[in-house]
Structure formats: structure tokens, C-alpha cells
Amino acid sequence: MFKKILIANRGEIACRVIKTARRMGIQTVAVYSDADARAPFVAMADEAVHIGPSPAAQSYLIADKIIAACKATGAEAVHPGYGFLSERTSFAEQLAAEGIAFIGPPVNAIAAMGDKIESKKLAKAAGVNVVPGFVGEIEDTEHAVRISNEIGYPVMMKASAGGGGKGMRLAYTEQDVREGFEAVKREGLNSFGDDRVFIEKFILNPRHIEIQILGDQHGNILYLNERECSIQRRHQKVVEEAPSPFVTPKMRKAMGEQCVALARAVGYYSAGTVELIVSGADPSGESFYFLEMNTRLQVEHPVTECITGIDLVEQMIRVAAGEKLAFTQDDVKIEGWAIENRVYAEDPYRGFLPSTGRLVRYNPPVEGWTDDGSANGRRGVDGVRVDDGVYEGGEVSMFYDPMIAKLITWGETRDEAADLQIAALDAFEIEGLGHNIDFVSAIMQHPRFRSGELTTGFIAEEYPEGFTGAAASDAVKTHLAAIAGFIATARADRARQISGQLDGALEPPYDWTVTIGDQSFEVALDEDVTVNGEVIDLALEYTPGDRLVQAEVDDTVYGVKVEPTRSGLRMTTRGAIHNVQILPSRIAHLTRHMIEKVPPDLSKFLICPMPGLLVALHVAEGDKVEAGQPLAVVEAMKMENILRAEKSATVKKVNAKAGDSLAVDAIILELE
């Protein structure tokens, strides 16, 4: 077994590998960029080596720096995590040349399967169903247009070396291809150092199901069941679960055995994932197509660990050290259900724009996952597990992926795991930047999610106008009104105790008018708590200043984040933000005399919606523009965002130039 390994990655996956290595008695080495100097994984490792500036292309993507760190520290092996160099053939070859073990598959398998173009050719030759498409070299945009027209729209343009949702664009028309092809090439080059692109038919209403593969260097290859990863946004997975509510035992066996055969054809060992597109319209599950093989650990590996009890990181290390798998296919079981939500630094209330900045407050529902070596321990604390690599006061940088943490829950049933997600998300406190906690909570509550009728179009279909918060029932609003009235009384009681008041201490109000949206509730706190005259059974503890309130109302448990506002509270729970107005009942009727503030007209400005780099500016002062016309391209978190004109206008003034770093809400152009 290795005595020391280096983790060629950052963030939560670096923390994840370090924890398992520590339990196995293996020393660890971290490498870090300028942006990660104070990151938790750096402090957690036994040694840490600085490898360069913040951009990944100048640090984490430079193999020579990783190898130099191995030599300097005496690391015998490298775990690449996911992303960065994890599927780079040249990196594995360089390590082999230096006598350093690669904790991953053999070089030939990475070469054969890690390249999406070559893997499709191989799968086709092996008789595996593949999605119709063009897998050769694409010369330029015109060539891409001709190919797309031949395949038939919609088509998907993908960077050959891409992964994690980067370097992918869906095109419904020829114009989409013309606008997106060069962007896909740039994203592939910037993120993976490879600008090759392939194009394939986009299957409408597909389910994304993947099979976890695990093999050793002695010819043993197993499949560790499937994961359902259909809920995606911009081709980036948001929710993953294991097992899939769609897959039957017969389907599981057929998919698993075919994926094992594919892995065996390239002499695969270590952990890997075969991704399949499955037609949700075919309940037999026979209409599945090979999509790609990820020759690395997946972000969503914890859900597989939860239902099988198998530590995938430990197995990768043992396989790399030459050990045989200690279990067979018959030993692989499915126990319960696991769901993972990715908590991203993006604002669903503003079109899911990336949101970088400082984590002013970061308080997960349970402590970060601790590897105690047990199958049950892999399910976290009472079925709740948090895999993270951030800390309160730290910064979510524009240079890397926007994921803050992974929230994993395990239950005996799918509904139990989803209910645990809702409760844990309500207790997950993040302040200082936008995040998607409300959004994933809304998904967990959605009737279609609960039914298991999932496709990759779920988010686009269920939230066509964007996300405004999960719908709250009248019962939930009534319960929130009761909680708000209790909090208002406690705050008023605290205020009356301030010394030096002119008329002495006053009794706090006990009768409140609470307004939530367009509904008003009369809340009274006397011997009983009543809302609109109905008695409410309310139990909670609150001290002014508390940010999170745990309450039980009529046998329903809530976790409510509260933030004081000028006229009441901002209350967040069950996937929605509620701006609640709370006034003593004796004066509430006066609000109808208040003048409503009219928001300013911002349509004459092109405003940067997120912190990022201005990659391109398509217009100059004096140019006439039409509604929908691309005006600028802003890159944030390795993704390019096209900013378009809202209406016909003339460019009056240009305030920025290509190459500028822009803050959120910075004015790029003024229009007239």
C-alpha cells in the first residue's frame, strides 16, 4: 500500500480523498493555487505545495508542476479527482514515465474512452448503440452547419475533451449553430486545452442514467448499480439519485452487463462511469444509447456509496496499489435510497446567473462528512451527509466551478430521502452570495419529481419562465404567519426593555396583522395563538438575533431562516423567500395611505448580470441594435454568457472594453 499520495485537485473532492486516505493510514499532499491558499483542503493535508496563480490553466492544469510537487514531497501516487487532469492521457503517461502511480484507469483506457469522439467509434465497432451524429474532425462553422442540417435539428455540439457540463451547446436552428460553435470551441480550449468539437442528434425527452463501474488489475470488473441524473440545467447535473425510479432489475442487469463488456474491451480498471441516454417513452428500458464513459470518479459518487456501502475512493486507491477487489458482483446490493443535491453559487431568482463572492455565513445542516470506515457512516449523520470544501469567511472564486457543497441524504425509501433533503436544505445557511438552495428544495417537493417521471428537460419544462420560489400552500402561509407573530412579539418585548424610554416600559403588542404576498392574517398571542380566529398549536424558541428558527406548527416541523427588514421579516423555508410585513393590528390599516415606490427604468442600460470577464463586445457607440441582438459576451466560472438587447435602440455610450473584469451590475453600455 502507498505511504503518501498527492491529490491533484481542489475543493470538496480534495477533502474527500484526504479523509479516506487518512483513515487508511496514508499521508497526503495537497497542491494549491493563489486563490486556494487558505482553503480547507490545504490545511487538512499533511503537506501542501503552491503551484501557481489562480487560473487553472496556470496551476491545476500544468502537469509538470504536479509532478514536481510529487518529487519534492516523495508522493508515490496521484489521485486526480474529477475535472482538471483527471482524464488527460498525457498526464497519466508523464506520471508513468516518472514511476509515479496514477490512481485511475490505464492510459489506453483513458485514450479510448476519455475522448468522446474515439469512444463513440469504439462503442459502435463493439456493437453498442450510439446516438446518431458526426464523430470526425469538424473544420469550421460552415462545416458544422452542414453536418447539423444533415443530422436534423435539434443537435448537440460538444467539446471532445469536455465534461461537467462545460463545452456543450444545444442548437435548434442553423443560427444557433452559427452563434454557438465557436463558443464551444473556446470553452473546450479554455477548460480542457482541446478545441475539437463533435455534433450529435439530441434525443428529445431523454433520461440520463449512468452505470458505476469498478475493476481491478486482475481482470475483475463489476457494476455498482445505476444513478439517475436526469435533472440537469445547461447540461450540468443538479440532482442525482440511486437507484433510479425508472430502472427495473431486468434493465439494471442488461445495462450493467453491457457496460462491463465495454469496459472489458479496453482493459479497464479503477472506478469509471458509463453514461447512457435512455428513452423515457420506452418502459422496457431497451432503448438506451451509449453516451460517453467518464474514466474517473464522478461528482455524484456518494449516492452509490450510500446504497452499496462501498467506499469508491478507497477502492480506487487499493486497485492502484495492485490489490484485488474483495467482493464479487453478487455482493453488490441496493440498500435504501440516496439523493444528492449540488449546492451551487448561482442565483435562481436571477436566471441562475453565477454568483461569486465571500461566504459571509456558511453553516451546513450537519458537520462535513467524516470517514469512519463503516457502510452506515457513509450515509452521514442520521441520513444526512455534506461533502464540502469551503468555510465561513472564505471566497467562492470566479476561476473555478461554482459548486459550494454536495448535500446527500439516505432513507429507507425515495420519499424519505427527499423529505430529509427538504429539512436539511431548510437548515442550510448560506449568506453573502446567491445560491440554489431554494431551487433544489422546490424540486424535492415537486409532484413530478415525487412521481419519478423525470427527463433531462424537467427544469426547462417545469420552470419555463424561470424560478420565483416554490409555491406555498395556504396552510404553510398560515403557519408562517403564526411564527412571524411570535417573533414580532419577542422582538417588541426586547425593544421595550431598552433603558431611557420617555414614557417608561410599555407592554409589547400581542395582536398583529401579518401580510404574506397578497394575503393578510390576523395573528393574536394571548392564552392561545390564533390566526384569523383559529387556534394554532405552536412550539418554538426564539431570541432576537436568531437567524434560524426551528418550529413545530400543528404537527408540521419547519426550519425557517429569518432576516429582519424595515417592515417585518424576510422568511425563507420550503424552497421560497417570503417578504413578510408585520404591523400591530391597531395601525396596519394605515398602510393603504402609503405611496408605492416606482422602480427605476433600467432598460436603457446593458448591465453585467454577474462578476466576470468581458470576452467580447459586438457594438460601438452610435450603432443601432435590434431586440435580441447579441451585444456582449461575459465569461464567469468557465462558462460564456451572451448578453442581448432587450429592445431596439442606439448605443449612446460604451463603458467597458473586451478584457475588462466586471463587477455585478456594472454598466457595460448605455442605450437611447
Side-chain angles (χ1 to χ4, degrees):
M1 182 50 65
F2 306 118
K3 293 181 179 178
K4 183 185 289 187
I5 65 173
L6 181 144
I7 297 95
N9 217 294
R10 61 176 300 278
E12 63 87 16
I13 187 57
C15 293
R16 165 74 185 86
V17 175
I18 290 169
K19 289 174 182 178
T20 290
R22 180 185 292 165
R23 175 176 59 78
M24 296 174 70
I26 301 171
Q27 289 191 309
T28 55
V29 179
V31 291
Y32 65 94
S33 69
D34 289 347
D36 286 332
R38 296 184 180 181
F41 76 92
V42 177
M44 191 181 294
D46 296 298
E47 298 175 65
V49 178
H50 177 252
I51 55 169
S54 300
Q58 299 174 43
S59 51
Y60 296 106
L61 285 171
I62 299 182
D64 289 344
K65 291 187 176 183
I66 306 295
I67 291 171
C70 288
K71 291 180 177 179
T73 58
E76 306 159 82
V78 171
H79 195 301
Y82 41 71
F84 294 147
L85 298 171
S86 61
E87 294 178 283
R88 191 75 62 83
T89 309
S90 58
F91 179 55
E93 289 173 337
Q94 284 179 264
L95 289 174
E98 297 291 343
I100 301 167
F102 180 66
I103 303 175
V107 172
N108 65 294
I110 301 174
M113 305 305 295
D115 185 306
K116 292 183 176 63
I117 292 176
E118 294 305 316
S119 68
K120 283 186 177 295
K121 291 179 180 177
L122 181 75
K124 196 170 185 179
V128 178
N129 287 343
V130 297
V131 180
F134 185 86
V135 294
E137 267 324 296
I138 299 176
E139 298 162 9
D140 53 25
T141 299
E142 292 303 321
H143 189 198
V145 168
R146 291 198 301 273
I147 291 167
S148 301
N149 289 338
E150 289 171 9
I151 295 172
Y153 295 98
V155 298
M156 179 69 77
M157 298 177 287
K158 293 185 180 180
S160 177
K166 305 295 188 298
M168 301 173 70
R169 290 288 170 102
L170 181 58
Y172 285 94
T173 64
E174 179 177 314
Q175 184 62 30
D176 291 342
V177 176
R178 293 188 184 279
E179 286 187 8
F181 180 72
E182 289 299 328
V184 173
K185 289 189 70 172
R186 283 196 299 270
E187 287 177 7
L189 186 62
N190 292 340
S191 294
F192 309 102
D194 186 342
D195 69 352
R196 290 177 304 152
V197 175
F198 71 96
I199 299 176
E200 66 184 10
K201 178 74 173 176
F202 182 72
I203 297 173
L204 295 172
N205 302 320
R207 296 183 81 115
H208 183 125
I209 293 172
E210 58 190 32
I211 300 292
Q212 175 68 59
I213 296 294
L214 182 64
D216 62 24
Q217 298 186 48
H218 305 277
N220 301 303
I221 305 177
L222 314 176
Y223 63 91
L224 307 185
N225 306 315
E226 80 284 352
R227 295 184 289 260
E228 172 89 52
C229 305
S230 295
I231 297 183
Q232 305 176 7
R233 196 190 65 76
R234 289 182 71 175
H235 319 298
Q236 179 89 35
K237 297 166 189 172
V238 178
V239 181
E240 300 104 347
E241 59 182 306
S244 164
F246 180 72
V247 173
T248 64
K250 181 182 177 182
M251 292 162 58
R252 183 174 297 118
K253 188 172 188 292
M255 291 176 180
E257 289 178 351
Q258 185 168 335
C259 293
V260 166
L262 185 63
R264 197 176 298 281
V266 292
Y268 200 90
Y269 57 78
S270 192
T273 295
V274 180
E275 300 198 348
L276 307 170
I277 285 185
V278 184
S279 172
D282 182 3
S284 73
E286 294 177 0
S287 301
F288 64 87
Y289 301 92
F290 170 77
L291 183 61
E292 63 186 10
M293 184 172 188
N294 292 311
T295 56
R296 55 170 169 80
L297 190 67
Q298 292 280 92
V299 176
E300 57 272 20
H301 73 273
V303 293
T304 296
E305 294 182 331
C306 286
I307 66 163
T308 63
I310 296 168
D311 185 324
L312 285 169
V313 172
E314 176 184 348
Q315 294 304 318
M316 290 181 75
I317 295 172
R318 292 191 181 282
V319 166
E323 294 185 13
K324 287 185 177 181
L325 295 178
F327 47 90
T328 66
Q329 189 66 59
D330 290 339
D331 297 321
V332 179
K333 307 296 182 186
I334 297 178
E335 294 184 357
W337 213 287
I339 298 175
E340 174 181 293
N341 276 307
R342 300 190 188 188
V343 179
Y344 282 125
E346 62 184 14
D347 191 344
Y349 295 101
R350 299 183 66 193
F352 297 93
L353 292 173
S355 180
T356 58
R358 193 164 302 284
L359 284 164
V360 176
R361 186 169 181 80
Y362 178 75
N363 186 24
V366 297
E367 292 293 321
W369 177 71
T370 301
D371 187 356
D372 66 1
S374 72
N376 194 55
R378 289 176 196 120
R379 296 168 182 164
V381 180
D382 297 326
V384 179
R385 168 176 165 178
V386 173
D387 283 21
D388 61 11
V390 299
Y391 64 100
E392 187 168 286
E395 192 165 336
V396 176
S397 167
M398 65 180 283
F399 297 104
Y400 312 117
D401 188 86
M403 191 168 68
I404 298 171
K406 301 185 305 197
L407 178 65
I408 306 102
T409 55
W410 178 90
E412 295 287 351
T413 64
R414 186 169 183 265
D415 280 342
E416 186 180 327
D419 288 342
L420 276 172
Q421 279 284 344
I422 296 166
L425 288 163
D426 277 348
F428 207 135
E429 297 180 82
I430 297 176
E431 294 177 15
L433 41 71
H435 56 76
N436 68 334
I437 285 177
D438 287 353
F439 180 64
V440 290
S441 177
I443 291 174
M444 295 295 99
Q445 301 169 63
H446 201 289
R448 181 174 163 190
F449 173 79
R450 291 299 183 121
S451 73
E453 297 297 320
L454 311 178
T455 70
T456 55
F458 177 94
I459 290 175
E461 291 159 10
E462 298 302 325
Y463 302 96
E465 304 300 322
F467 180 70
T468 56
S473 66
D474 288 342
V476 169
K477 291 180 181 178
T478 299
H479 294 168
L480 285 179
I483 295 169
F486 186 97
I487 290 173
T489 297
R491 293 176 64 204
D493 186 55
R494 171 74 172 269
R496 77 184 178 88
Q497 297 177 41
I498 297 173
S499 62
Q501 298 192 53
L502 291 177
D503 205 19
L506 301 173
E507 282 297 309
Y510 291 97
D511 297 314
W512 303 92
T513 298
V514 178
T515 304
I516 303 175
D518 57 359
Q519 289 181 258
S520 289
F521 302 85
E522 296 301 322
V523 181
L525 289 84
D526 200 353
E527 292 181 1
D528 294 313
V529 178
T530 63
V531 178
N532 293 341
E534 296 289 328
V535 175
I536 298 291
D537 186 9
L538 174 66
L540 74 125
E541 290 184 10
Y542 174 78
T543 301
D546 287 351
R547 297 169 180 265
L548 179 65
V549 175
Q550 297 290 344
E552 185 173 344
V553 192
D554 291 343
D555 298 323
T556 302
V557 176
Y558 293 90
V560 185
K561 302 180 195 71
V562 295
E563 179 185 348
T565 62
R566 290 187 64 183
S567 61
L569 294 170
R570 182 181 170 96
M571 304 177 74
T572 306
T573 189
R574 302 292 176 95
I577 297 170
H578 302 277
N579 289 305
V580 181
Q581 185 186 69
I582 313 169
L583 292 170
S585 295
R586 60 186 174 80
I587 63 170
H589 66 281
L590 299 174
T591 57
R592 65 175 180 267
H593 301 295
M594 299 294 290
I595 298 172
E596 189 173 342
K597 187 175 181 180
V598 179
D601 178 18
L602 299 178
S603 63
K604 58 184 178 181
F605 302 108
L606 180 67
I607 297 173
C608 186
M610 82 289 282
L613 181 70
L614 185 59
V615 176
L617 192 62
H618 300 308
V619 294
E621 288 183 11
D623 288 356
K624 294 184 184 297
V625 299
E626 299 298 328
Q629 179 179 334
L631 303 181
V633 178
V634 175
E635 181 187 287
M637 292 186 172
K638 300 187 288 187
M639 298 289 282
E640 291 190 357
N641 302 272
I642 300 173
L643 307 184
R644 303 176 185 273
E646 290 185 16
K647 60 184 181 181
S648 299
T650 301
V651 179
K652 177 182 177 182
K653 185 179 179 183
V654 177
N655 297 323
K657 62 181 184 300
D660 285 355
S661 291
L662 303 176
V664 64
D665 293 335
I667 296 174
I668 302 172
L669 301 172
E670 295 181 33
L671 306 168
E672 61 180 0

